[in-house]
Amino acid sequence: MFERFTDSARQAVNGAQGQARTLGHHHVGTEHLLLALVEGDDPTAWELGRLGLDAADLRARLVRISADPLDSDALRAIGIDLEAVRQATEQTFGEGALDVPAGQSRPSLWGHLPFSPKAKKALEQSLRHALRLKHKHISSGHVLLGALHDEEFLSVRLVTEAGVDVNTLRAEITRLLTSAAA
Amino acid sequence: MSDGVTLAQEAGSRDPAIGLRAVRALRELAERLEALQVASARDKGWSWQQIAVCLGVSRQAVHKKHGGGRRILKKER
């Protein structure tokens, strides 16, 4: 399957590794694929930017919703104001003092991080989308369609939370892919 | 206490998912605060024994958990 990947698609897959590593995550998920696609420099990335998706914003959302077990909503439910704890802690220990996950072991700086089952599924779906559109190659646009395939993907949740309609995005990317006469 | 908080507490007591998430978050919060406080105590020259007494654990336990750090000034227990 990977021999069909264009340079842009390979960059997205490799970029996702880097995204996961930068965030200190131990696997590559659909969310990292999305980040890599947004940070690319090709028509898919430009389209994502045009629709208002920004890598820094998505990364901040990702840190907030997924990676951090310090769930402020859950804490509020038992009467703890995490923001107050954060302020008190930062006053003593400096900004971001509370943001270092406990006992976090740093992932290896080299070697490949494993792809999550959902990220694998997303890549498989990118092939299906290429076949469906009768394209011989899998480009970053197909990877994006794969990453948007399932509502359960974190990538889909991120896109939605950033205020972009997933169906609109799918349609725009499909239009881009079919007009490029790839 | 605001109605919102009361409501949230009631919901929390009934929904195990929220209660369990709160437990996990509390544990994580405690771990992070412990790491900060232990590092700060060591910087101020506290011995592992003093820290252990405050935390209510053995000196070995606290040293094993926090002793592998990247301290510039090597301090004896």
Side-chain angles (χ1 to χ4, degrees):
Chain A
M1 175 172 135
F2 284 100
E3 67 280 0
R4 293 193 187 210
F5 274 51
T6 65
D7 283 347
S8 69
R10 283 167 203 268
Q11 271 166 24
V13 173
N14 290 331
Q17 288 267 343
Q19 297 287 344
R21 199 163 283 130
T22 305
L23 286 160
H25 296 168
H26 298 264
H27 71 275
V28 180
T30 58
E31 64 276 26
H32 305 114
L33 275 174
L34 175 69
L35 279 170
L37 288 163
V38 171
E39 287 210 323
D41 186 22
D42 65 359
T44 302
W46 303 334
E47 186 63 30
L48 286 165
R50 196 183 64 80
L51 287 170
L53 292 174
D54 171 72
D57 170 68
L58 290 173
R59 209 173 283 118
R61 287 176 194 279
L62 182 57
V63 168
R64 249 177 278 138
I65 67 173
S66 71
D68 202 341
L70 272 191
D71 187 330
S72 59
D73 291 337
L75 287 173
R76 194 175 305 118
I78 54 170
I80 293 173
D81 182 353
L82 181 61
E83 214 31 61
V85 177
R86 190 183 297 282
Q87 275 177 21
T89 312
E90 291 193 342
Q91 243 169 36
T92 312
F93 298 109
E95 204 173 315
L98 214 52
D99 295 334
V100 182
Q104 189 188 56
S105 57
R106 286 191 181 280
S108 160
L109 286 174
W110 42 81
H112 284 274
L113 299 173
F115 278 75
S116 71
K118 282 177 182 166
K120 283 182 189 161
K121 191 176 165 197
L123 291 177
E124 284 161 19
Q125 288 301 328
S126 70
L127 171 65
R128 283 178 197 242
H129 282 284
L131 294 173
R132 178 175 64 85
L133 297 168
K134 299 193 166 45
H135 293 157
K136 289 195 178 69
H137 298 286
I138 300 168
S139 75
S140 59
H142 300 108
V143 174
L144 179 58
L145 288 179
L148 298 177
H149 187 79
D150 195 320
E151 305 295 325
E152 280 190 14
F153 289 171
L154 192 46
S155 47
V156 172
R157 185 173 162 194
L158 278 174
V159 164
T160 308
E161 287 197 2
V164 173
D165 181 66
V166 176
N167 287 323
T168 306
L169 178 55
R170 284 194 194 111
E172 289 295 314
I173 293 297
T174 304
R175 188 185 51 76
L176 194 68
L177 282 168
T178 47
S179 70
Chain B
M1 193 168 286
S2 76
D3 285 351
V5 173
T6 312
L7 269 176
Q9 280 172 335
E10 282 172 7
S13 64
R14 264 190 250 112
D15 183 355
I18 295 176
L20 291 169
R21 277 217 313 275
V23 170
R24 183 186 175 197
L26 262 182
R27 198 174 281 147
E28 177 75 18
L29 183 58
E31 290 291 329
R32 291 189 194 184
L33 289 175
E34 181 180 315
L36 287 169
Q37 293 293 351
V38 169
S40 160
R42 291 293 293 168
D43 281 347
K44 291 190 165 72
W46 282 44
S47 69
W48 290 113
Q49 180 62 41
Q50 285 173 298
I51 294 169
V53 167
C54 283
L55 287 175
V57 297
S58 72
R59 179 179 59 75
Q60 286 86 350
V62 74
H63 185 263
K64 189 177 176 192
K65 188 168 176 187
H66 299 284
R70 49 272 87 95
R71 201 152 298 103
I72 302 163
L73 291 169
K74 282 256 160 68
K75 284 169 188 163
E76 295 308 307
R77 57 193 58 174

